[in-house]
Amino acid sequence: MSAFITEHKRSQLNGLYRPADIGRQVTVFGWVQSYRDHGGVIFIDLRDRSGFVQLRCEPSPWAEAHKVADTVRSEWVVAARGEVISRGSNVNPKIPTGEIEIAVHELEVLSEAQTPPFEIKDGIDTNENTRLTWRYLDLRRPELSKNFVLRSKVMQSTRQYFTAEHDFVELETPILMKSTPEGARDYLVPSRVHPGQFYALPQSPQTFKQLFMIAGMDRYMQICRCFRDEDLRADRQPEFTQLDLEMSFVCPEDIYTILEGYAARIWREVLGFELQLPIPRMTFQEAMDKYGCDKPDLRFGLELSDLTALLKDRVEFRVFADVLGRGGIVKALYLKDGGQFTRKDLDVTFPQEAAPHGAKGVAWARVAANGEWSGPVAKGVSEALRQELNAHMGTAEGGLLLFCADKPSVVNASLARLRLVAGERLGLMDKSKWAFCWVTDFPMFEYDEGEGRWYAMHHPFTSPRQDHFALLDGDPGSVLAQAYDLVVNGVELGGGSIRIHRSDVQQKVFGLLGLTEEEAKQKFGFFLEALKFGTPPHGGIALGVDRMLMLLTGSESLRDVIAFPKTQKASCLMSETPSEVDAKQWAELHIAPRRA
Ligand code: ASP
């Protein structure tokens, strides 16, 4: 151990030095970001997680320190002592410590370093896989490390808000759980002591947090890790962090109030943004009608128009007749500033964006003077109908209409996508705006035509609306749930529900989801049993912590707010995980690899 470390204590982090410190004798530690020899004077930028400070090493009278300075290289770890002085006329206004430097009297190398595989500084364009392989070096870069310092502060405020100020109890739930695959696939852990049996890593601690309510804990919170073995779409991680909450004796309003106070606090603390409360609400149906999706980006309008009723049975308009005849719908997106979109957008970009959502094409029309239309749809429309459509959508010269006709799910998803593409192109996704909303009244069930069965839209523990209980028997498709999502700028920040608190209703819902009584007992017997021992009405919500941090830091990817993330293929490039295990481990776990 260097005597330096035992004899001297660090004065403060490097990025915090300011003119007020001038004259102080200080001790600094850090990594050599860069070094420059300016005619005998050696300058070293010394970095730590707070930023960096400039060290000034003169050949005299501190010759010993100057000699050491002459040997240092990038990323070496050094300690220095000296006096904070003014930079005089050499101020660098671009950095917070730019007005001062430290005249070094003593310098010691604590650790040498190999040349790093990429430069450790902000704004590099190094391939992400290289950065992930040496993640600890990537994390030295201030633009990344600041996200984790912020993450820690947000977690601290979260605990303060829920436990200290709102009487939640922070409780832990098991990581080794029972496998009850419903939504995504479970990660399984084979048991050594129970041959042939498995634990599962939690997809969410849903049943356990409800059991805490039955246990009388009243208000539960946990910042917990959840695991889902899904094929990783776009920006997903196999393990992620949730802020998990549950409360007894509540209705949705109570959950909204608590969460709104929380969101307002975090957005104020982190961004200085004053969130207007209450957060507006919109039913699922309204969101689908107007925006084609259940997580609308409300920073801008561009609402969809449903033309189905208007076009139905209009013999003079044959363009969408086939689709309408088959019970499909027609919706349109009207873009006032249509001139911005080129023929290539219309013929290539828009259809390409809509195709993954099932659209076989995107019909369009440009609005000319006097409400005339041009484009593929124009020919099929009579003058009278065109005028009706113009009036319905409030079109004007220069506008552009995008039409989609298909079954409702395809039309909605395709136009929702085009709305975002257009919104982005028109510069409507203002990064300084925060449009929060609650989406409420989700349907309880979703029908999977392929499998011919109902699925729970949120999860099987969600309660129907009080006045829809009776519909469970005859018309499950029209049952609305007491479920809600919190959406911000088109991102689902979290979702939750009021839960079923009666064993018989829970049993019935399991039945509707295709679980026989036997299966329900085998998977959820412990839970159905618990519901019979005095269950308070309760409900809760879970927020995606990583997503929230992504929004708060303005990051492009979840990987920028998860310290050691996995790749799109669910592997850790740094530790080379997952990896094979040896034959002895297979044997101990009573399993064997399947050879191809
Ligand atoms: N457990 C749910 C989820 O992970 C959230 C909730 O209903 O509280 O989506």
Side-chain angles (χ1 to χ4, degrees), residues 199-473:
Y199 305 94
L201 305 183
Q203 295 194 25
S204 103
Q206 185 59 38
T207 47
F208 282 76
K209 69 172 169 172
Q210 292 189 239
L211 291 169
F212 275 138
M213 297 303 101
I214 299 174
M217 298 308 294
D218 199 69
R219 288 182 167 197
Y220 144 96
M221 80 143 258
Q222 183 177 201
I223 297 170
C224 59
R225 206 61 74 79
C226 301
F227 306 83
R228 294 184 191 169
D229 188 3
E230 292 174 289
D231 294 326
L232 301 180
R233 281 185 276 130
D235 204 14
R236 292 245 188 176
Q237 287 282 317
E239 55 179 302
F240 55 94
T241 306
Q242 275 194 349
L243 166 58
D244 201 34
L245 302 163
E246 197 73 10
M247 300 165 80
S248 290
F249 310 110
V250 288
C251 62
E253 293 294 327
D254 302 308
I255 309 261
Y256 301 161
T257 306
I258 288 276
L259 264 290
E260 290 181 5
Y262 172 67
R265 178 197 180 116
I266 297 293
W267 258 254
R268 183 184 309 120
E269 281 179 6
V270 175
L271 301 166
F273 180 84
E274 274 314 313
L275 182 57
Q276 291 305 312
L277 299 182
I279 290 173
R281 295 173 201 170
M282 176 183 301
T283 63
F284 169 85
Q285 193 57 52
E286 190 183 349
M288 294 308 282
D289 289 346
K290 290 189 179 164
Y291 307 100
C293 73
D294 59 4
K295 42 177 192 286
D297 189 337
L298 297 181
R299 281 175 295 179
F300 55 95
L302 301 188
E303 290 179 16
L304 311 182
S305 302
D306 193 337
L307 308 178
T308 314
L310 223 154
L311 294 178
K312 223 178 170 102
D313 307 323
R314 294 296 283 256
V315 278
E316 71 267 41
F317 190 58
R318 307 306 309 160
V319 187
F320 303 123
D322 269 6
V323 171
L324 288 169
R326 273 184 270 120
I329 63 167
V330 181
K331 283 172 105 170
L333 171 64
Y334 173 61
L335 303 168
K336 177 161 77 49
D337 301 309
Q340 305 234 0
F341 299 97
T342 62
R343 192 63 199 247
K344 184 165 169 238
D345 290 326
L346 300 172
D347 292 342
V348 182
T349 313
F350 290 155
Q352 259 173 12
E353 292 283 354
H357 303 281
K360 290 177 229 31
V362 179
W364 55 270
R366 286 192 193 277
V367 184
N370 306 323
E372 302 273 340
W373 287 7
S374 65
V377 175
K379 289 174 225 83
V381 189
S382 69
E383 162 87 31
L385 180 57
R386 198 180 66 230
Q387 274 172 14
E388 252 178 87
L389 289 165
N390 277 335
H392 187 78
M393 292 180 281
T395 64
E397 185 177 350
L400 173 67
L401 287 159
L402 303 177
F403 300 89
C404 199
D406 211 306
K407 53 184 185 186
S409 56
V410 168
V411 169
N412 282 326
S414 304
L415 285 177
R417 176 69 204 143
L418 295 182
R419 178 178 174 268
L420 294 182
V421 172
E424 169 105 68
R425 283 280 297 278
L426 294 167
L428 300 173
M429 291 187 173
D430 183 345
K431 287 227 157 58
S432 66
K433 269 196 191 164
W434 295 103
F436 282 77
C437 82
W438 288 104
V439 179
T440 67
D441 295 272
F442 281 80
M444 267 295 272
F445 306 103
E446 224 169 357
Y447 194 71
D448 184 312
E449 280 165 22
E451 293 192 31
R453 55 160 284 200
W454 294 102
Y455 276 92
M457 195 138 173
H458 186 49
H459 55 54
F461 311 101
T462 296
S463 174
R465 256 170 49 172
Q466 289 295 334
D467 52 340
H468 284 197
F469 270 81
L471 294 171
L472 283 174
D473 287 318

Side-chain angles (χ1 to χ4, degrees), residues 477-494:
S478 66
V479 178
L480 294 182
Q482 297 192 65
Y484 32 77
D485 276 358
L486 181 57
V487 174
V488 53
N489 292 1
V491 175
E492 183 195 325
L493 200 54

Side-chain angles (χ1 to χ4, degrees), residues 504-581:
D504 58 332
V505 179
Q506 186 65 73
Q507 185 80 259
K508 177 177 275 180
V509 169
F510 282 148
L512 280 165
L513 294 173
L515 287 183
T516 63
E517 222 164 286
E518 206 35 57
E519 284 167 336
K521 211 167 146 207
Q522 194 236 331
K523 284 187 176 171
F524 298 110
F526 67 102
F527 185 69
L528 287 168
E529 167 96 351
L531 288 174
K532 293 177 190 155
F533 284 93
T535 303
H538 62 287
I541 189 165
L543 296 192
V545 168
D546 310 308
R547 271 195 218 167
M548 178 166 77
L549 275 141
M550 201 174 135
L551 289 170
L552 291 168
T553 57
S555 299
E556 297 285 315
S557 157
L558 283 173
R559 295 184 291 278
D560 289 342
V561 294
I562 296 176
F564 294 103
K566 304 256 185 315
T567 62
Q568 205 75 160
K569 287 205 165 141
S571 48
C572 170
L573 298 179
M574 181 187 67
S575 60
E576 299 184 329
T577 307
S579 57
E580 290 187 358
V581 295

Side-chain angles (χ1 to χ4, degrees), residues 50-71:
S50 65
F52 64 87
V53 68
Q54 177 168 290
L55 306 184
R56 180 189 185 92
C57 307
E58 303 261 8
S60 117
W62 312 104
E64 216 25 65
H66 183 266
K67 223 194 271 164
V68 178
D70 207 17
T71 65

